[in-house]
Amino acid sequence: MIRTNTISDSILVSDYIKGKEASLAILINRHQQRLFSFIYSKVQDKDLTEDIFQDTFIKVIRTLKKGNYNEEGKFLPWVMRIAHNLVIDYFRKNNRMPSFKNTDEFDIFSVLHDGSLNAEKQIIQEQIYDNVRELVNELPQEQKEVLVMRMYKDMSFKEISENTGVSINTALGRMRYALINMRKLIDKHKIILVN
């Protein structure tokens, strides 16, 4: 008999993709407690936790069967991310979270400020911060630099101009393009930012 605890997640995933169904059972058993606790800590309901747990592995199975899995060696964080997204989807579907329509007047950063956060809002807030951070990192360097100075360092366009050695109009233009590009990235990645 093979000692299942010595086989790495990546080998088990690879074996499952090649048709060894038992490999998935080992993966589920290995991570069941941690994943279940993670989901329960967010939704505080045993039945709902079981539903989301099952939905998570249905999504895992579909992704693996389609051959779309490429998180080599990072199986658990990938599964946790799927569960995390399903928790957010649950809150959204049940109108426990307002969703946001993307318009020209929308200020991406207006959703980042909220004083009182309960556990549900906290997880959503963390997801928004992660999403915005990833979006900012995808911007061209010049746009990213201006956006960070303006939104995170609270610098005026005059100060940005002085720090970057470009005119105020160029700084304004870069900021405008940064926001336009972030909107495009939001659509491309199908990210929903909420208040």
Side-chain angles (χ1 to χ4, degrees), residues 39-95:
I39 297 167
Y40 185 81
S41 73
K42 308 302 177 201
V43 298
Q44 302 290 312
D45 177 295
K46 197 169 186 295
D47 293 335
L48 179 58
T49 298
E50 286 173 9
D51 289 348
I52 292 174
F53 180 85
Q54 286 176 353
D55 289 347
T56 300
F57 274 96
I58 288 169
K59 209 162 186 172
V60 165
I61 290 165
R62 282 190 186 137
T63 305
L64 294 176
K65 293 231 186 246
K66 281 184 192 164
N68 293 341
Y69 177 75
N70 59 3
E71 307 274 328
E72 199 58 48
K74 297 180 195 150
F75 180 76
L76 182 61
W78 174 65
V79 173
M80 299 280 260
R81 180 90 174 181
I82 291 171
H84 186 266
N85 290 340
L86 288 171
V87 168
I88 289 174
D89 289 348
Y90 164 78
F91 286 135
R92 241 184 232 133
K93 267 187 224 138
N94 290 285
N95 289 328

Side-chain angles (χ1 to χ4, degrees), residues 24-191:
L24 184 69
I26 296 168
L27 282 166
I28 293 172
N29 287 335
R30 180 177 290 175
H31 300 299
Q32 184 170 2
Q33 190 57 52
R34 192 156 166 211
L35 188 62
F36 199 88
S37 299
F38 170 77
I39 297 167
Y40 185 81
S41 73
K42 308 302 177 201
V43 298
Q44 302 290 312
D45 177 295
K46 197 169 186 295
D47 293 335
L48 179 58
T49 298
E50 286 173 9
D51 289 348
I52 292 174
F53 180 85
Q54 286 176 353
D55 289 347
T56 300
F57 274 96
I58 288 169
K59 209 162 186 172
V60 165
I61 290 165
R62 282 190 186 137
T63 305
L64 294 176
K65 293 231 186 246
K66 281 184 192 164
N68 293 341
Y69 177 75
N70 59 3
E71 307 274 328
E72 199 58 48
K74 297 180 195 150
F75 180 76
L76 182 61
W78 174 65
V79 173
M80 299 280 260
R81 180 90 174 181
I82 291 171
H84 186 266
N85 290 340
L86 288 171
V87 168
I88 289 174
D89 289 348
Y90 164 78
F91 286 135
R92 241 184 232 133
K93 267 187 224 138
N94 290 285
N95 289 328
R96 292 177 61 189
M97 256 173 60
S99 63
F100 182 81
K101 299 266 187 289
N102 199 358
T103 65
D104 282 346
E105 295 81 45
F106 170 51
D107 174 9
I108 286 168
F109 299 91
S110 67
V111 300
L112 298 181
H113 311 293
D114 186 358
S116 59
L117 296 177
N118 62 21
E120 176 187 317
K121 285 185 179 172
Q122 187 68 47
I123 183 174
I124 295 159
Q125 190 77 39
E126 287 166 15
Q127 182 67 48
I128 291 170
Y129 279 125
D130 287 347
N131 288 341
V132 170
R133 205 173 294 119
E134 286 171 23
L135 292 173
V136 170
N137 284 332
E138 285 190 47
L139 292 174
Q141 187 55 40
E142 294 168 339
Q143 293 172 21
K144 178 179 163 181
E145 180 182 41
V146 171
L147 186 137
V148 167
M149 287 179 178
R150 181 78 186 120
M151 302 313 297
Y152 293 101
K153 296 181 181 172
D154 207 24
M155 294 168 74
S156 69
F157 282 105
K158 185 177 189 303
E159 291 170 318
I160 293 169
S161 164
E162 290 164 1
N163 274 282
T164 57
V166 299
S167 70
I168 291 175
N169 281 343
T170 301
L172 282 164
R174 287 179 181 173
M175 183 67 185
R176 182 171 170 268
Y177 284 115
L179 293 174
I180 288 168
N181 285 330
M182 284 188 75
R183 268 193 219 108
K184 286 178 185 169
L185 290 167
I186 287 168
D187 290 340
K188 177 182 160 192
H189 297 303
K190 296 181 176 30
I191 293 171

